[in-house]
Amino acid sequence: MSLHHLKKDIPASIVVFFVALPLCLGVALASGAPLFAGLIAGVVGGIVVGGISRSALGVSGPAAGLTVIVLSAIESLGAYETFLLAVVLGGILQVVLGALRAGVLGYFFPTSVINGMLTGIGLIIILKQIPYAFGLGDNATGNIAMLESGGASAATSLGELLAMVHPGVILISLLSLAILIGWETRPVKQSRWLGMLPGPVVAVSAAVLLHFAFAASDSLALLPAQLVSVPVASGFGEFVSLFTLPDFSQITNATVWTVAITIAVVASLETLLSVEAIDKMDPEKRTTPTNRELVAQGVGNSVSGLIGGLPVTQVIVRSSVNLQSGAKSRASTMIHGGLLLVCVATLPHWLNAIPLGVLAAVLLVTGYKLAKPALFRKMWHCGPEQFLPFIVTVSAVVLTDLLTGVGLGMAVAILALLQRNYRNSHFLHRRESTEQDNRLLVTLRLAEEVTFLNKGAIRKELSKIPGGAHVVIDKRGCVYVNYDVEEALADFCSTAEGRGISVDILEPAPEPDSASARRPKLLVAA
């Protein structure tokens, strides 16, 4: 862990902390677990996992993708303490997966599916935060559902929804959005003083001040349900009592092992997808050691289960917020975990003064950044082989759940791959090295058909090339090169100069109306 970037990591950790706090509580509530269990998982994900992981930007904590599994597991096992044992065992299984080097599985997910997953999550974030941004009550979900049925009941539900809208919350949400959007403009970024302050921190501070100012107004005063709610302990003894130990007497319970295996598999898959997505978003193009990440997640889950917390994974929302807030190293992740621990233990009353409206605004902006319309246009221009898996993944993630969406997107991508491989099934990949002019010459000849399934192997070959070498990437025999592979080659070329590597790319001769002629040109020879 580098301490050279604390100037940027500390502000980013504060932003991630403000985003992680309500997410930890919300995941715990949706999982049917004690709210404190979500906070424990957030602390463990930040400090324990962040300390072991080598992911520069990834943030771990309780994940929304596991809520259904956790909820059904607690019900089937009958006691929360028994469920904690399954979390501990699931963590141990993840450590085993890491030792068996199962982290390479993340390389087999194409860009279209990963982008679809990110976009779907962004849309879900936006939809889920709308009630909080308007201050709607607990009956809002039912009324929104009745709106879709039409008729007189829809008109009644619309009237009831409008009556539940809280003007104080709307003002806080609008002001927060204005601050967050304004902080992305060039004048603020170029300002010496304003540029040092993260927009979300400014928005949260302004929202807290408005909350106190509205307290004297009958119409604008916020209700307790419209504020953050953190458990308050009267002393150290009561704080310690909030932790729960697993029931080790259930170690022979077959259902416990079934739940443990499920948690290990699902949590590992979500982590690998997040790692692949965040590495793609990293402007420095750093690569996370996936096997090490599985070990870190496994240790984190075991520790979380031992002290009463929910299972953890690396999560897209907090990781993307960390990236967008300017974090440079995993110090940001660990500091955010420390902030969660300190504030929950010592400042719960102050945390409970934060309006949910400002947190909704932060997440609305985050959701928009993940689901920008420009991404839809980009995937459309990449052709049907990229767009169809993308749009299927987006739709399925929004309409079902994360894993179902990714599964359907992968199915569409594999069908497209099989169709193309049916026409061009030959594959040949050879690397040659010779000494030429006292300089290592490396020739990488790509096959006639190169798909996203070959991305991991090609990346591995490129990573072995020593500094100072001369590299020739021969694509003259290629009939088709997948977008993911083109992207991997472009990433290599963008970093080659810094390692003293010169790159020549031998392109196939263009043919009218050929697939290679229509393929996006991503590479520029160094």
Side-chain angles (χ1 to χ4, degrees):
M1 179 180 66
S2 174
L3 300 180
H4 300 295
H5 303 293
L6 288 180
K7 183 178 179 181
K8 294 187 176 181
D9 286 334
I10 291 177
S13 69
I14 296 173
V15 176
V16 177
F17 159 72
F18 281 122
V19 173
L21 179 64
L23 291 177
C24 291
L25 295 171
V27 170
L29 183 64
S31 302
L35 293 182
F36 195 64
L39 297 173
I40 293 173
V43 172
V44 171
I47 298 176
V48 178
V49 178
I52 301 175
S53 169
R54 290 296 179 266
S55 177
L57 299 173
V59 180
S60 298
L66 290 174
T67 53
V68 176
I69 294 173
V70 174
L71 180 62
S72 61
I74 294 175
E75 292 177 352
S76 62
L77 294 174
Y80 184 66
E81 292 77 7
T82 306
F83 167 74
L84 291 178
L85 176 60
V87 177
V88 174
L89 296 175
I92 295 174
L93 292 175
Q94 281 186 288
V95 174
V96 173
L97 288 174
L100 295 176
R101 310 187 69 81
V104 295
L105 295 175
Y107 291 132
F108 294 98
F109 290 88
T111 298
S112 56
V113 175
I114 295 174
N115 285 339
M117 178 188 70
L118 290 171
T119 303
I121 291 174
L123 293 175
I124 290 175
I125 291 172
I126 293 172
L127 294 173
K128 294 293 185 182
Q129 296 308 309
I130 289 176
Y132 295 105
F134 284 87
L136 300 179
D138 295 335
N139 297 325
T141 302
N143 286 316
I144 291 174
M146 291 185 67
L147 278 175
E148 299 174 354
S149 63
S153 60
T156 303
S157 297
L158 178 60
E160 292 177 355
L161 276 176
L162 293 176
M164 286 190 293
V165 170
H166 195 285
V169 176
I170 291 180
L171 288 175
I172 289 175
S173 299
L174 291 177
L175 175 64
S176 301
L177 283 173
I179 292 174
L180 293 169
I181 295 172
W183 238 253
E184 296 293 326
T185 59
R186 181 176 298 179
V188 173
K189 288 184 175 181
Q190 293 179 344
S191 171
R192 179 179 178 183
W193 301 107
L194 294 179
M196 296 176 60
L197 297 174
V201 175
V202 177
V204 169
S205 301
V208 171
L209 293 177
L210 281 182
H211 161 53
F212 287 123
F214 290 165
S217 172
D218 293 335
S219 60
L220 297 178
L222 303 187
L223 303 175
Q226 294 161 346
L227 300 169
V228 167
S229 178
V230 176
V232 179
S234 58
F236 180 76
E238 186 175 345
F239 177 74
V240 173
S241 68
L242 295 174
F243 295 88
T244 307
L245 297 176
D247 183 5
F248 287 99
S249 65
Q250 298 294 318
I251 191 71
T252 58
N253 188 336
T255 306
V256 169
W257 285 95
T258 300
V259 173
I261 294 173
T262 303
I263 290 175
V265 172
V266 176
S268 297
L269 179 57
E270 289 200 24
T271 292
L272 293 175
L273 290 175
S274 178
V275 165
E276 179 76 1
I278 294 302
D279 282 354
K280 281 184 174 296
M281 298 166 67
D282 184 3
E284 298 183 23
K285 300 301 180 184
R286 290 166 289 189
T287 301
T288 299
T290 51
N291 297 316
R292 175 72 175 234
E293 188 65 27
L294 288 180
V295 172
Q297 297 293 332
V299 173
N301 272 320
S302 294
V303 172
S304 184
L306 284 172
I307 59 178
L310 292 175
V312 300
T313 72
Q314 188 178 122
V315 280
I316 296 292
V317 175
R318 273 154 278 187
S319 299
S320 61
V321 169
N322 192 38
L323 168 65
Q324 293 157 7
S325 300
K328 293 296 183 181
S329 74
R330 57 196 176 93
S332 174
T333 299
M334 299 183 67
I335 294 172
H336 116 274
L339 289 174
L340 280 173
L341 177 60
V342 171
C343 290
V344 169
T346 63
L347 302 173
H349 293 288
W350 286 99
L351 295 178
N352 290 341
I354 300 174
L356 294 179
V358 63
L359 301 176
V362 171
L363 292 173
L364 285 172
V365 173
T366 300
Y368 174 79
K369 289 181 178 180
L370 291 175
K372 284 185 176 180
L375 181 58
F376 286 84
R377 293 194 296 268
K378 175 185 175 182
M379 298 306 296
W380 173 263
H381 290 308
C382 287
E385 190 171 308
Q386 291 293 317
F387 183 76
L388 287 178
F390 167 77
I391 199 65
V392 168
T393 304
V394 172
S395 303
V397 167
V398 173
L399 297 176
T400 57
D401 57 68
L402 179 66
L403 293 177
T404 302
V406 171
L408 291 175
M410 282 294 296
V412 174
I414 290 173
L415 286 175
L417 170 64
L418 293 176
Q419 183 183 20
R420 181 169 287 276
N421 281 346
Y422 178 78
R423 297 193 301 265
N424 299 286
S425 59
H426 178 68
F427 174 77
L428 175 65
H429 174 217
R430 185 170 72 248
R431 177 189 173 196
E432 297 176 352
S433 299
T434 60
E435 291 291 342
Q436 184 181 54
D437 299 328
N438 296 322
R439 191 179 187 189
L440 180 66
L441 171 65
V442 179
T443 301
L444 183 68
R445 288 191 176 92
L446 298 185
E448 180 181 358
E449 187 81 9
V450 187
T451 71
F452 68 83
L453 295 176
N454 309 123
K455 178 176 64 173
I458 291 176
R459 276 187 169 179
K460 184 177 180 180
E461 289 290 332
L462 293 174
S463 67
K464 294 179 180 178
I465 297 176
H470 177 67
V471 179
V472 177
I473 300 176
D474 190 351
K475 299 164 59 180
R476 291 175 296 180
C478 296
V479 174
Y480 167 77
V481 179
N482 181 263
Y483 182 84
D484 293 72
V485 177
E486 294 274 24
E487 193 176 57
L489 296 176
D491 291 344
F492 172 76
C493 291
S494 66
T495 59
E497 184 176 359
R499 298 167 54 196
I501 299 175
S502 60
V503 183
D504 288 328
I505 299 175
L506 305 180
E507 294 281 358
E511 297 178 9
D513 300 325
S514 68
S516 59
R518 296 193 302 269
R519 185 173 60 248
K521 300 298 183 183
L522 296 178
L523 304 181
V524 177

